[in-house]
Amino acid sequence: MGKYHHRPKKTTKDNIPLLDKAHLKKKKHIKTSKFSRGYHKLQLLKYANSIANSKCMFNDIRRSDENEVSRDIETKQSNSFFTIIDDLEFRTRKVRLNTSSKEKRKSQPVVENSTDLGEIESDISHDDLKIEDLSEKTKSHRKYQRKLDERSIEAKINAKKYQKRLMKHEKQIEKEKNKKIDAFLDLQHVSLNSEIDFCVIDKSQVLLMMSHPSSLYFHGAINMKVIYGRFEVLGCTLDPHTENLPVYSPFGTSRVRIQTVEDGVHGKLTKETLLNLGVSLENVVEILAKLKNANFAAAVLEKNSSNLCSTAWPEFVEKYSNQKFLPVLKENSKLISIENLLQCKFESEDSMKDNNFYMENPQWGEIFEMMLEGKMRVAICGGKDSGKSTLMRYLVNRCLSRFSSVLVVDCDPGQSEFVPPGCVSAVCVDSPLLGPHFTHLIQPERSVFVGEVDMNRNPLVYINSIGTLMNYCTGEEKYQNIPWIINTMGYSKGFGVVLTSSVLNTVAPSFVVQIKCADRERNFPTILTANFVKRNLLRNKENISEHEHKTLNYRFLETGSVLDLQTSAPRKKTNELKNYSPVVLRKIMILTYFGKLLNKNVKSIFEVVPYMIDYSKINVEILNGDSQLNDEDSRLDVINGSLVALCRKDNGNEDISKYECLGYGIVRAIDRVDKRLFLTTPVGRNIANVDTLVKGSICLPETVYTQPPSTVEGHIPFTSMYIPDSLHQVVRRHFRPTKASIMSK
């Protein structure tokens, strides 16, 4: 029993013991700071419902009693003028009814039979009893109504009290937030080290100040606007004339570096400029004093709130890729206040414990100067993870400082830079590439769907598709006076040497850069000179190749890999910052592509309204399909619920390497009765030009089918709820280590 043992007890009519609530101590009012909005709203709703229910119940009882009284009076006292109009007039009615009954008794003749007289008196007494019962009922009803009125008045008073407390609580929350912000803004000046300082401007902006030479590395997504001096990010030089640019460094990729550049003084950093930005006067004096003593650069950093960071990454891509893009912040960091504001993790070169950060090869500047000479067509070759994409972005950003745009011919369908995997494309780039490939998807000038990641399955289609791209690019006059950068695959062994040689023969570059790694397993077996390429072309049964250049001549340069520079750095490797695998990157690329359709109201591709297409007017093709898929119904069954390429034939040419790929789509449903097909795609108006749907080996991530969206409740049919064993798992390719690598361990 505990503390309830000695309390006085009460019993009900059934002798059931109850606690006497009068002796219980009243609970103390909780402070307003501990109340929540939901609690106040719930109390207000409770009081409103109790008032409404009590009024309805009283009206129902009142109507039923009035009907009962009227029936009894009409049947037994039809001659009387008794009617119930209001409870307050009940006494007067009772008096009138009694007087009328007495008058009736006087007017009636004396009856000698005692039995008749007794019956009349009993009837009269019975009527009097009924009237008395009705009076008691009305009294009880009045008491009940008084209680309800008192209750409703009390409820209204309490509701007003709770409303006032709720308003007080909301004001207190706003005050506390403002206090925290004010306290945070008071700590405006934070230093990472002697060379890097941060100064908070407002709730969304931070001023970065770096003395030259210094470097800052970060994970996250920011917008950067230079106000004084010069910075360099991934080969792109930023000065005060450069517009506000987004910089992406997702968790799971190498940290992006922000580096100062010593190249004269650019911009004016005056007292008025800093005060207009919102910097306090004390910090303005300190900044200007520091500016006089050292070579200095300053930029305004802002939290990136683009569509990619607000909808695609956190809600859609992270769910179906099982990857996190924003970093996990540590409370013991020096810059925790700045990092919480920008949702980024900043580190200096000395504080990093691993080698997962951006580095440049000193030869890259020479490559840039050499590619500007002559025809300006550079091809980048190298093995897997040798740094081809990083070098390509560096060269693009450097070229944009001298040219308005750069043409990139992407010949790597497995790790494509601007479009989802499975395509070779030609893209005209006119803005810096400040992040990994899935942060800058661009609509290509021309794209051809290959349908495969492994080019061993259909190499002729791959080479002929690149030939189609080159025919288009060489035929357009607008591309003749800008640099060309050709990105190739990392397939450097066996048949990959033949494929790479055929690609170089088709694109006919003026300059070839071959990246060489310290690990020989990643490299080509030999140097890709023009003579070696001519001897190792892909040969067809009928001829050597459709695109053979008799005079192939280019300059050649061999450079080291960034991977070697990273591994040579004396740091510990941690599993926390392991980079994404190629399979995961392909999934992220596909999900980010369809993430264009999302916004604040539409948070899943299943909520997007699909396009409706008459499939009797389009062709459906299956790449590498068997002979049993010749009929239309079988092909429709294959593409239903799958990822397809939206293509347009070139003047009715049936060769798939001549098809122009306009984008990708997901077949949501097929109506065979009306011959309609429902398609979800971000292509937009270009969908009117689609005349062929092509299904290749590129598929949606498995999680799109197995994980339901937030709007769907329950379990998806035909999916398993348990973790499969090793015999039932999805088959994936694994790297088989060589004997040399095993012995080295």
Side-chain angles (χ1 to χ4, degrees):
M1 294 292 290
K3 60 182 180 181
Y4 298 101
H5 181 67
H6 299 291
R7 288 186 179 178
K9 297 181 179 179
K10 286 186 177 182
T11 57
T12 60
K13 295 179 180 179
D14 300 329
N15 293 325
I16 299 173
L18 292 175
L19 289 172
D20 188 5
K21 295 184 179 179
H23 294 272
L24 296 176
K25 292 183 179 180
K26 292 184 180 179
K27 293 183 179 179
K28 293 181 179 180
H29 288 290
I30 304 174
K31 293 181 180 180
T32 55
S33 60
K34 295 184 179 180
F35 272 87
S36 63
R37 296 183 180 179
Y39 178 79
H40 288 298
K41 291 181 179 178
L42 185 62
Q43 291 297 326
L44 291 173
L45 288 172
K46 281 182 179 179
Y47 278 111
N49 288 331
S50 64
I51 293 167
N53 292 334
S54 60
K55 286 185 177 180
C56 292
M57 188 169 62
F58 175 75
N59 291 331
D60 292 339
I61 295 170
R62 183 176 175 181
R63 288 193 202 98
S64 63
D65 290 339
E66 287 179 356
N67 293 332
E68 185 180 354
V69 170
S70 62
R71 273 192 236 106
D72 293 337
I73 297 301
E74 285 176 2
T75 54
K76 295 193 177 181
Q77 297 291 337
S78 58
N79 297 327
S80 65
F81 57 91
F82 175 75
T83 55
I84 295 179
I85 298 172
D86 194 1
D87 291 338
L88 297 175
E89 299 177 1
F90 186 81
R91 291 181 181 177
T92 58
R93 292 193 208 107
K94 185 177 178 183
V95 172
R96 288 178 185 176
L97 188 60
N98 290 334
T99 54
S100 64
S101 61
K102 288 178 182 179
E103 289 174 359
K104 283 184 180 182
R105 288 176 193 174
K106 290 179 181 179
S107 62
Q108 286 178 355
V110 178
V111 182
E112 295 179 358
N113 193 351
S114 62
T115 58
D116 295 338
L117 185 62
E119 287 177 359
I120 293 170
E121 288 179 354
S122 62
D123 291 339
I124 292 171
S125 61
H126 182 70
D127 293 337
D128 292 338
L129 289 172
K130 277 208 167 187
I131 292 171
E132 289 176 1
D133 292 337
L134 289 172
S135 64
E136 290 178 0
K137 281 185 179 180
T138 51
K139 286 179 182 178
S140 62
H141 290 167
R142 284 176 185 174
K143 287 181 182 179
Y144 185 66
Q145 187 180 9
R146 281 183 205 140
K147 288 181 181 179
L148 289 178
D149 292 339
E150 291 174 359
R151 236 175 173 187
S152 61
I153 293 168
E154 186 181 355
K156 288 178 182 177
I157 294 170
N158 290 333
K160 287 182 180 178
K161 286 181 180 179
Y162 277 109
Q163 195 171 5
K164 287 180 180 178
R165 293 173 74 180
L166 180 61
M167 292 174 65
K168 263 188 184 178
H169 177 61
E170 289 178 350
K171 287 180 181 179
Q172 190 172 356
I173 289 173
E174 289 180 3
K175 284 182 180 179
E176 288 176 358
K177 284 183 179 179
N178 292 330
K179 282 181 182 178
K180 288 180 180 179
I181 292 168
D182 293 339
F184 173 63
L185 295 176
D186 290 339
L187 301 172
Q188 280 188 336
H189 191 267
V190 184
S191 298
L192 180 61
N193 52 33
S194 59
E195 299 173 343
I196 302 172
D197 296 329
F198 293 89
C199 183
V200 178
I201 298 174
D202 54 27
K203 300 176 185 179
S204 60
Q205 292 183 335
V206 173
L207 180 65
L208 170 65
M209 298 161 287
M210 297 173 61
S211 59
H212 182 77
S214 59
S215 299
L216 177 67
Y217 299 84
F218 79 98
H219 265 145
I222 57 173
N223 292 331
M224 187 172 179
K225 173 62 180 173
V226 180
I227 60 173
Y228 185 79
R230 278 191 171 189
F231 289 94
E232 185 178 312
V233 181
L234 298 176
C236 177
T237 303
L238 307 177
D239 55 32
H241 301 289
T242 309
E243 60 182 2
N244 192 4
L245 292 176
V247 185
Y248 299 98
S249 180
F251 192 75
T253 61
S254 298
R255 299 179 186 86
V256 171
R257 182 183 67 181
I258 301 174
Q259 185 181 19
T260 58
V261 179
E262 185 179 11
D263 191 12
V265 177
H266 295 272
K268 263 192 174 183
L269 193 63
T270 61
K271 181 179 179 180
E272 289 76 15
T273 304
L274 293 174
L275 290 174
N276 291 333
L277 286 173
V279 183
S280 64
L281 184 60
E282 297 177 0
N283 289 322
V284 167
V285 174
E286 186 177 352
I287 291 168
L288 294 176
K290 191 172 184 178
L291 180 61
K292 294 178 181 178
N293 300 327
N295 193 358
F296 192 77
V300 176
L301 306 182
E302 186 179 5
K303 182 181 177 181
N304 192 309
S305 58
S306 63
N307 188 43
L308 184 64
C309 293
S310 60
T311 57
W313 281 2
E315 299 178 7
F316 180 65
V317 180
E318 286 186 356
K319 178 180 179 180
Y320 293 111
S321 65
N322 297 324
Q323 304 295 331
K324 293 292 183 183
F325 296 97
L326 298 179
V328 179
L329 305 179
K330 296 181 179 180
E331 294 295 332
N332 57 356
S333 173
K334 288 183 180 179
L335 306 174
I336 186 60
S337 56
I338 305 292
E339 292 173 347
N340 282 328
L341 188 65
L342 299 177
Q343 287 299 302
C344 294
K345 185 176 181 180
F346 296 99
E347 294 179 88
S348 62
E349 191 170 354
D350 299 332
S351 63
M352 288 186 294
K353 299 179 181 179
D354 54 72
N355 303 322
N356 196 0
F357 57 92
Y358 173 83
M359 295 185 71
E360 291 179 6
N361 192 320
Q363 288 185 319
W364 287 2
E366 299 177 10
I367 295 171
F368 169 68
E369 297 296 335
M370 292 176 66
M371 71 169 287
L372 296 180
E373 302 173 4
K375 209 174 179 180
M376 295 186 300
R377 295 186 186 179
V378 58
I380 304 172
C381 304
K384 294 179 180 179
D385 296 329
S386 59
K388 298 187 300 299
S389 299
T390 306
L391 175 58
M392 185 267 293
R393 294 175 199 133
Y394 174 85
L395 293 176
V396 168
N397 293 335
R398 288 293 302 269
C399 289
L400 288 176
S401 62
R402 299 194 185 184
F403 300 91
S404 60
S405 59
V406 180
L407 182 67
V408 178
V409 180
D410 194 351
C411 302
D412 188 359
Q415 298 295 329
S416 52
E417 186 71 19
F418 304 102
V419 296
C423 282
V424 291
S425 59
V427 180
C428 189
V429 183
D430 55 3
S431 58
L433 308 178
L434 304 179
H437 66 321
F438 54 86
T439 62
H440 46 250
L441 273 68
I442 302 174
Q443 182 65 29
E445 301 293 317
R446 182 62 63 93
S447 177
V448 180
F449 183 65
V450 181
E452 299 287 347
V453 175
D454 186 4
M455 292 299 105
N456 290 326
R457 297 182 179 182
N458 206 341
L460 286 175
V461 172
Y462 171 63
I463 298 300
N464 292 334
S465 299
I466 296 174
T468 302
L469 283 181
M470 296 306 298
N471 290 337
Y472 167 78
C473 295
T474 53
E476 293 290 331
E477 188 178 351
K478 59 182 178 181
Y479 304 137
Q480 306 310 314
N481 297 321
I482 60 174
W484 291 20
I485 300 176
I486 297 103
N487 188 29
T488 61
M489 294 190 301
Y491 191 9
S492 59
K493 296 295 180 183
F495 188 61
V497 179
V498 178
L499 283 176
T500 304
S501 299
S502 301
V503 169
L504 293 176
N505 179 69
T506 305
V507 299
S510 60
F511 183 37
V512 173
V513 178
Q514 183 174 346
I515 301 175
K516 185 178 180 181
C517 299
D519 184 5
R520 295 180 180 179
E521 294 297 326
R522 298 177 182 269
N523 299 330
F524 285 93
T526 184
I527 297 174
L528 299 176
T529 60
N531 293 328
F532 177 82
V533 167
K534 289 179 182 179
R535 295 194 303 268
N536 292 273
L537 296 177
L538 178 65
R539 297 179 180 272
N540 198 359
K541 293 181 180 179
E542 298 178 358
N543 52 13
I544 296 177
S545 177
E546 185 180 347
H547 306 277
E548 181 182 2
H549 293 272
K550 295 181 180 179
T551 57
L552 182 64
N553 188 17
Y554 52 78
R555 289 185 298 168
F556 180 84
L557 177 65
E558 190 176 38
T559 183
S561 173
V562 179
L563 186 65
D564 299 336
L565 298 175
Q566 292 179 343
T567 53
S568 62
R571 287 186 176 87
K572 297 179 182 180
K573 291 185 178 181
T574 58
N575 295 327
E576 182 186 0
L577 297 176
K578 189 176 180 180
N579 286 346
Y580 300 134
S581 65
V583 177
V584 173
L585 287 173
R586 281 194 285 271
K587 291 180 181 179
I588 294 173
M589 196 71 171
I590 294 172
L591 294 171
T592 307
Y593 176 77
F594 287 100
K596 297 177 183 178
L597 300 169
L598 305 180
N599 52 46
K600 293 181 180 179
N601 299 323
V602 180
K603 298 182 180 180
S604 173
I605 56 173
F606 302 105
E607 301 175 14
V608 178
V609 179
Y611 291 94
M612 185 177 66
I613 300 174
D614 185 1
Y615 67 75
S616 62
K617 298 180 181 179
I618 61 174
N619 300 319
V620 177
E621 297 186 12
I622 311 297
L623 289 182
N624 299 327
D626 54 17
S627 59
Q628 297 179 359
L629 298 177
N630 292 329
D631 59 313
E632 185 182 65
D633 290 338
S634 298
R635 292 195 296 270
L636 291 175
D637 290 337
V638 171
I639 67 170
N640 193 12
S642 300
L643 183 71
V644 294
L646 312 181
C647 300
R648 177 175 59 183
K649 292 183 178 181
D650 185 12
N651 298 324
N653 196 332
E654 296 296 332
D655 185 2
I656 193 171
S657 62
K658 302 293 190 295
Y659 292 0
E660 180 184 359
C661 181
L662 302 177
Y664 284 83
I666 302 172
V667 180
R668 293 282 301 276
I670 298 175
D671 183 3
R672 298 179 189 271
V673 177
D674 297 329
K675 293 188 176 182
R676 295 181 299 180
L677 184 143
F678 298 91
L679 197 69
T680 300
T681 177
V683 168
R685 295 180 179 178
N686 287 333
I687 197 171
N689 301 323
V690 175
D691 56 15
T692 306
L693 302 182
V694 184
K695 174 72 177 73
S697 64
I698 310 299
C699 301
L700 289 171
E702 299 90 353
T703 50
V704 175
Y705 300 104
T706 57
Q707 294 185 12
S710 57
T711 55
V712 176
E713 295 182 359
H715 177 59
I716 296 179
F718 311 109
T719 57
S720 175
M721 296 294 291
Y722 66 91
I723 300 174
D725 55 17
S726 57
L727 297 177
H728 295 85
Q729 289 179 354
V730 179
V731 178
R732 290 187 174 89
R733 294 180 297 176
H734 295 276
F735 173 70
R736 181 179 293 176
T738 60
K739 292 183 179 179
S741 62
I742 295 174
M743 294 298 293
S744 62
K745 292 181 180 179

